């Protein structure tokens, strides 16, 4: 009887034919000798005599059923002298930084390759609602006078924008390092801020609702990332009607540090189920740009009353949110870096040129 099997090698799959003498029991395997000792034949048929092996090629003149066998590794060679045939892993063929070869649906994978697959992360104050930094600065000054602490300078108040209150007390104002004292001071500052704000709800700037509606129609998830406590953010989102349109809300209780640390942005991207390279941060200061650049995100800055030349580090600068459209956001991903699947994604070390040998300059004193 003639049996055929497939030889698996590193270069591909090669069909071969071989014949063996002997009887194969049902469910048992027969090991092939010769130059391939680590192959064995597996068969579910019984009662057939196989012709004698002659260098893996033999012709049978008797009409018998054709037995198809497959070569599987019987054992791993223990010594280096034995020849072993191993399969090399397939290369990870990715088209760009957002591609995921593990997706079995080609339509989903194709959608990820396009520039329309991204997420948007909005800042809370200055973008989603009106900026109340003046009330925060006044609350810090009143707290310093009430506690007998030195009044913070204007540059310190400017640096504290976007940071958590605990981070501001410890690192910027240097008022205390005691955790209990820090929590007491931050709680008192929030009380003063609520008193200054009164019953007024922060207004929503023009263009915010239209942008969120357009992003929702095109299935672009939107999240909010801020350093404000949840007790201050959540009531405002519910009162303004923006809460149902947001996929995720990241507040001070969710992160350890605020801006310019990108922790809040990374958590928002994780909740949006988007990689950081496919997220756009819409902020209102250079701290937002610094945090977005730290984690590889694109950044759009709403300048407002700030000079435009101070915000040139962002990918896109607009005066008002009404000037921003979905096309502008898609264009941020048109020129993203492509990945060559033949290179395997490995970075090569750049060789630095050797410095030139130091040449001494000899000077001779002239006799005068």
């Amino acid at each position: 009887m003639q049996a055929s099997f497939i030889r698996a090698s590193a270069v591909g799959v090669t069909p071969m034919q071989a014949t063996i003498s002997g009887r194969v029991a049902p469910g048992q395997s027969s090991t092939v000798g010769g130059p391939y000792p680590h192959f064995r034949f597996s068969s579910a048929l019984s009662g057939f005599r196989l012709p004698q092996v002659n260098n893996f090629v033999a012709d049978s003149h008797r009409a018998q059923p054709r037995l198809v066998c497959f070569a599987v590794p019987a054992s791993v060679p223990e010594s280096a002298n034995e020849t072993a045939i191993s399969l090399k892993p397939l290369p990870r063929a990715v088209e760009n930084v957002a591609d995921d070869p593990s997706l079995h649906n080609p339509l989903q994978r194709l959608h990820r390759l396009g520039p329309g697959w991204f997420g948007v992360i909005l800042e809370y104050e200055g973008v989603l609602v009106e900026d109340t930094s003046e009330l925060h600065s006044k609350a810090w000054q009143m707290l310093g006078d009430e506690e007998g602490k030195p009044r913070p300078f204007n540059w310190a108040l400017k640096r504290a924008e976007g940071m958590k209150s605990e981070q501001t007390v410890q690192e910027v104002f240097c008022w205390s390092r005691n955790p209990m004292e820090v929590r007491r001071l931050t709680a008192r500052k929030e009380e003063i801020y609520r008193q200054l704000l009164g019953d007024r709800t922060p207004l929503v700037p023009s263009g915010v609702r239209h942008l969120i509606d357009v992003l929702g129609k095109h299935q672009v998830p939107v999240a909010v990332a801020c350093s404000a406590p949840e007790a201050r953010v959540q009531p405002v989102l519910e009162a303004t009607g923006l809460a149902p349109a947001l996929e995720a809300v990241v507040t001070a209780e969710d992160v350890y540090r605020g801006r310019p640390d990108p922790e809040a942005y990374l958590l928002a991207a994780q909740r949006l189920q988007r990689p950081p390279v496919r997220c756009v941060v819409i902020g209102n200061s250079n701290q937002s740009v610094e945090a977005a650049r730290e984690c590889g995100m694109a950044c759009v800055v709403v300048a407002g009353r700030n000079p435009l030349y101070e915000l040139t580090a962002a990918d896109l600068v607009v005066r008002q949110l009404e000037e921003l459209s979905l096309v502008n956001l898609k264009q941020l991903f048109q020129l993203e870096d492509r990945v060559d699947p033949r290179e395997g994604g490995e970075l090569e070390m750049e060789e630095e040129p050797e410095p030139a040998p130091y040449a001494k300059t000899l000077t001779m004193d002239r006799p005068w």
Side-chain angles (χ1 to χ4, degrees):
M1 165 190 162
Q2 185 178 10
S4 65
F5 69 94
I6 298 177
R7 172 190 172 187
S9 62
V11 297
V13 180
T14 305
M16 300 181 62
Q17 292 185 352
T19 54
I20 307 178
S21 62
R23 186 181 300 273
V24 182
Q28 295 183 356
S29 59
S30 176
T31 304
V32 181
Y36 301 96
H38 52 282
F39 282 167
R40 69 173 184 267
F41 282 94
S42 179
S43 174
L45 303 179
S46 63
F48 295 100
R49 285 284 181 176
L50 304 182
Q52 184 67 26
V53 175
N54 185 10
N55 294 331
F56 285 87
V57 177
D59 296 330
S60 178
H61 300 284
R62 293 175 296 178
Q64 293 181 356
R66 183 177 180 83
L67 175 63
V68 179
C69 304
F70 298 93
V72 294
S75 62
V76 179
E78 299 180 357
S79 62
N81 297 330
E82 299 183 9
T83 305
I85 300 177
S86 59
L87 296 178
K88 294 182 179 180
L90 295 177
R92 178 182 171 88
V94 294
E95 298 293 337
N96 59 12
V97 293
D99 190 12
D100 186 7
S102 62
L103 292 176
H104 301 286
N105 190 340
L107 296 180
Q108 293 182 358
R109 186 175 178 182
L110 183 62
H111 179 61
R112 290 171 64 102
L113 298 179
W117 189 78
F118 63 93
V120 176
I121 302 176
L122 301 175
E123 286 287 344
Y124 177 68
E125 291 192 0
V127 178
L128 194 65
V129 297
E130 63 175 338
D131 189 10
T132 58
S133 57
E134 297 181 357
L135 297 181
H136 288 287
S137 300
K138 189 175 182 180
W140 284 119
Q141 293 175 353
M142 294 177 60
L143 178 63
D145 297 339
E146 181 180 325
E147 297 291 335
K149 304 290 184 180
R151 293 176 63 93
F153 296 100
N154 292 332
W155 64 267
L157 295 173
K158 187 69 175 178
R159 182 184 175 188
E161 295 180 2
M163 290 187 176
K164 293 181 61 175
S165 299
E166 295 84 355
Q167 189 178 354
T168 302
V169 172
Q170 299 181 22
E171 301 178 8
V172 182
F173 299 159
C174 300
W175 284 351
S176 177
R177 290 284 182 176
N178 188 353
M180 297 183 62
E181 182 68 11
V182 170
R183 286 194 293 268
R184 188 187 68 84
L185 293 175
T186 55
R188 178 55 185 164
K189 183 261 177 183
E190 287 296 325
E191 294 179 0
I192 298 176
Y193 172 78
R194 293 194 191 96
Q195 294 175 4
L196 295 176
L197 185 62
D199 298 335
R200 183 173 61 91
T201 302
L203 301 178
V204 178
S206 59
V208 174
R209 300 182 186 275
H210 176 70
L211 179 62
I212 294 179
D213 293 341
V214 171
L215 294 177
K217 292 180 181 179
H218 291 80
Q219 299 180 358
V220 178
V222 183
V224 175
C226 63
S227 301
E230 184 179 2
R232 189 208 310 172
V233 176
Q234 200 64 33
V236 175
L237 295 179
E238 295 177 357
T240 56
L242 298 176
L246 302 176
E247 297 288 339
V249 178
V250 179
T251 58
E253 289 80 5
D254 299 325
V255 295
Y256 180 72
R257 299 176 63 87
R259 293 182 308 176
D261 193 281
E263 183 180 359
Y265 294 162
L266 292 175
L267 181 59
Q270 181 180 1
R271 294 181 177 179
L272 292 180
Q273 298 181 0
R274 295 291 187 274
V277 294
R278 278 305 184 97
C279 290
V280 183
V281 175
I282 302 180
N284 64 336
S285 63
N286 283 321
Q287 293 181 347
S288 303
V289 180
E290 181 179 355
R293 287 285 186 266
E294 186 70 19
C295 56
M297 298 182 181
C299 186
V300 178
V301 174
V302 182
R305 299 179 181 179
N306 299 324
L308 297 179
Y309 62 85
E310 294 182 356
L311 306 171
T312 55
D315 297 308
L316 180 63
V317 181
V318 295
R319 179 65 67 179
Q320 302 294 336
L321 205 58
E322 297 176 346
E323 304 174 5
L324 190 62
S325 64
L326 181 64
V327 178
N328 301 137
L329 298 178
K330 286 185 177 181
Q331 289 178 351
L332 298 177
F333 304 101
Q334 290 286 352
L335 301 178
E336 63 183 0
D337 297 335
R338 295 285 178 174
V339 179
D340 189 359
R342 295 173 297 178
E343 305 214 351
E346 297 181 359
L347 300 179
E348 297 181 359
M349 297 295 295
E350 183 179 358
E351 297 182 0
E352 298 182 358
E354 297 182 359
Y358 178 72
K360 297 183 179 180
T361 304
L362 301 179
T363 59
M364 299 179 62
D365 296 335
R366 296 181 182 180
W368 297 99

